[in-house]
Amino acid sequence: GEHFGEMRDDLNVMSDLEHGLIRVLHPKSFIDDPTRLFRAVRYAQRYGFEIAPETLALIPEALPFVDKLSPARLRHELDLIFEEEDSVPMIAQLADMGVFQHIQPALPWGEGTLARFKNTCAEYSHTRRAASSQVERNRDCRWMVWLIGLTAKEIRALAKRLHFTADLSKKILAASSIFHELDFFKDIRPSQCAARLDSLPEDSI
């Protein structure tokens, strides 16, 4: 009729867009689907938005439900974050919310991990138009930067929890083994260094 083509905005979305706010549609939204926690953070950081205060207040109640997500869904949401141009603020905000403790307590966070992310991830910065192979490589490198300080046992437990591919598990384990042997590399000959590293993935080195 005479209203054809007019925008209907029953949920006041245009106001939220104008004010840069991320808001869920109902109080049980995060409980119904905890992956929305990851998406809320990802979109807020990507676009420079804020999560609405009443939406933030719903997060603590929903955190125990993160543990109920399947490994594939959890890893997919984290992969999407690591495919962003700047994933560091997203990971930092999720850590501040306490999300990681409900995925796996061994997931590291702290000043050392944050510094490692900031110092390293800039090298793997890219736009979302990058070739898929480069996006995948950048993503894997960010996983390595995050987990490099863990032990092999902790990495294998996480690989099982998050269904890492065999290739990604191999890369993270290799990076971790080098990281924990840094003192070994200080005084050895180049031939010894090459012998130690030749069998390891280049990205891990």
Side-chain angles (χ1 to χ4, degrees), residues 22-136:
I22 300 285
R23 188 190 310 276
V24 292
L25 297 183
H26 61 88
K28 298 296 183 183
S29 183
F30 291 136
I31 292 174
D32 288 350
D33 183 0
T35 61
R36 291 171 181 154
L37 284 167
F38 298 86
R39 273 175 257 157
V41 168
R42 183 156 49 92
Y43 292 142
Q45 294 293 341
R46 182 197 292 176
Y47 297 115
F49 280 25
E50 303 259 344
I51 299 176
E54 57 269 36
T55 293
L56 274 176
L58 301 173
I59 290 175
E61 182 186 6
L63 288 178
F65 293 87
V66 172
D67 184 51
K68 310 298 182 186
L69 289 168
S70 70
R73 293 188 73 197
L74 274 173
R75 196 195 70 250
H76 178 66
E77 291 301 325
L78 291 168
D79 280 347
L80 289 175
I81 286 173
F82 283 145
E83 290 172 9
E84 291 283 335
E85 189 165 353
D86 187 5
S87 58
V88 176
M90 301 175 190
I91 292 293
Q93 188 171 7
L94 287 170
D96 290 343
M97 290 176 175
V99 172
F100 298 145
Q101 290 299 310
H102 293 273
I103 298 175
Q104 182 89 340
L107 275 171
W109 194 254
E111 289 302 315
T113 306
L114 180 60
R116 199 152 54 232
F117 262 116
K118 288 180 176 178
N119 291 336
T120 311
C121 286
E123 294 182 36
Y124 304 108
S125 182
H126 61 278
T127 67
R128 284 183 288 279
R129 295 181 179 179
S132 59
S133 59
Q134 185 61 34
V135 169
E136 182 177 338

